[in-house]
Amino acid sequence: MEVKNKERFSVSSFSLHILAMALMLCDHLWATLLANQEWLSAIGRMAFPIFAFLSAEGFRRTKNFKKYALRLLVAAIISEVPFDLMYGGTPFDPFHQNVIWTFLLAHLCMFGVRAAEKRGKPVLTVIAGVLISLAGWLVGTLLMVDYGGEGVLTVLLFFFFTGERPWQKLCQVISMAVIHCYLIGGLTFSVTLFSHTFELPEQGLALLSLIPIWFYRGKQGIHNRGVRALFYGFYPVHMLILSLLMLCLYK
């Protein structure tokens, strides 16, 4: 009965991708055409952590790291102009790089940690994990990738703390809270409880992404070349469309 319940209340990698894409579209609509609809930005906070989780899961499951990393590199290069057009109104903005670069940096970090693991020395692995994570955070910050070094750390937390055990989920919650509520912070919103008003970071809503993530049971779902093209192509294409719409509406 327990196994059947798990199967009934589970989501696939395909479903998580579709959900994250929809949430990202909401966030980008707020950033471009619907700036007065703040709820779009609020629910959009959940998109990046889901993509970060899928990125870590993709690293664990890939059989060819070099080929996977090359696809990310090509996608990052292709996405840069649409990203710069959408956020900066210019085809080249050296001060903000698209999120695929964030994932590529995280993959390089995970590759380094995995290489340390193969030596079979737990202490060395822990030290390497800490140092590589700090290096990933620093490089991400200096290169000004989307979500900065904190974005790299978000991917890594799903690499280090994966599984169904309560302590692993607790580590995810604590890590997400530290990264998104404290390190990233940003805009806030007010909540009134029992005559007391609290200012909470909007980015803290990213923690809600853990709910669908925890229903993932390792199933890939629909997967073929067309689906892969959809997942890789959606990011630059929808940003380019939004940029063109902005140009037509606000020229």
Side-chain angles (χ1 to χ4, degrees):
M1 182 64 70
E2 183 180 353
V3 174
K4 289 183 179 180
N5 287 336
K6 283 188 175 183
E7 291 294 328
R8 185 181 302 170
F9 299 105
S10 64
V11 297
S12 65
S13 172
F14 174 83
S15 299
L16 283 178
H17 270 101
I18 297 299
L19 175 61
M21 287 161 59
L23 292 169
M24 178 174 62
L25 178 59
C26 289
D27 186 44
H28 289 173
L29 282 170
W30 170 80
T32 54
L33 303 175
L34 302 172
N36 60 328
Q37 301 295 322
E38 295 184 5
W39 65 273
L40 290 171
S41 173
I43 65 173
R45 299 306 91 208
M46 294 186 287
F48 176 74
I50 297 176
F51 280 123
F53 169 79
L54 292 169
S55 184
E57 184 70 6
F59 175 82
R60 281 191 292 268
R61 291 181 174 272
T62 186
K63 296 178 181 179
N64 190 328
F65 171 76
K66 291 183 179 179
K67 189 175 180 179
Y68 195 98
L70 181 60
R71 285 202 300 267
L72 286 176
L73 176 61
V74 172
I77 294 172
I78 292 174
S79 300
E80 192 58 33
V81 170
F83 180 83
D84 290 343
L85 284 172
M86 187 183 74
Y87 275 111
T90 174
F92 178 68
D93 180 4
F95 301 107
H96 194 185
Q97 325 311 326
N98 74 77
V99 77
I100 308 296
W101 295 109
T102 311
F103 296 140
L104 181 57
L105 279 175
H107 274 253
L108 294 175
C109 291
M110 290 185 286
F111 181 79
V113 175
R114 183 62 57 82
E117 282 180 347
K118 291 180 179 180
R119 293 177 177 266
K121 298 179 179 180
V123 175
L124 175 63
T125 301
V126 172
I127 295 174
V130 172
L131 294 178
I132 290 172
S133 297
L134 289 174
W137 169 81
L138 179 61
V139 174
T141 300
L142 292 176
L143 293 182
M144 292 176 280
V145 298
D146 203 22
Y147 283 92
E150 292 79 8
V152 177
L153 293 181
T154 302
V155 180
L156 294 179
L157 82 85
F158 289 116
F159 175 69
F160 292 128
F161 306 121
T162 179
E164 295 292 319
R165 295 178 181 178
W167 72 267
Q168 293 167 324
K169 291 184 177 181
L170 179 61
C171 287
Q172 290 179 359
V173 172
I174 294 173
S175 300
M176 283 281 291
V178 171
I179 293 171
H180 289 267
C181 295
Y182 179 69
L183 295 180
I184 296 179
L187 298 175
T188 62
F189 63 96
S190 300
V191 175
T192 302
L193 293 174
F194 306 109
S195 301
H196 295 281
T197 301
F198 302 91
E199 290 290 330
L200 301 175
E202 185 180 279
Q203 189 60 38
L205 295 172
L207 273 75
L208 295 177
S209 65
L210 292 173
I211 297 174
I213 288 172
W214 287 346
F215 280 104
Y216 172 73
R217 311 294 183 191
K219 286 189 173 182
Q220 191 171 48
I222 303 173
H223 182 72
N224 52 50
R225 290 185 177 180
V227 170
R228 182 190 297 173
L230 170 66
F231 291 160
Y232 277 99
F234 177 81
Y235 186 59
V237 169
H238 92 276
M239 290 190 297
L240 184 59
I241 292 173
L242 289 175
S243 300
L244 292 175
L245 288 173
M246 287 179 65
L247 181 63
C248 293
L249 292 174
Y250 303 117
K251 64 179 180 179

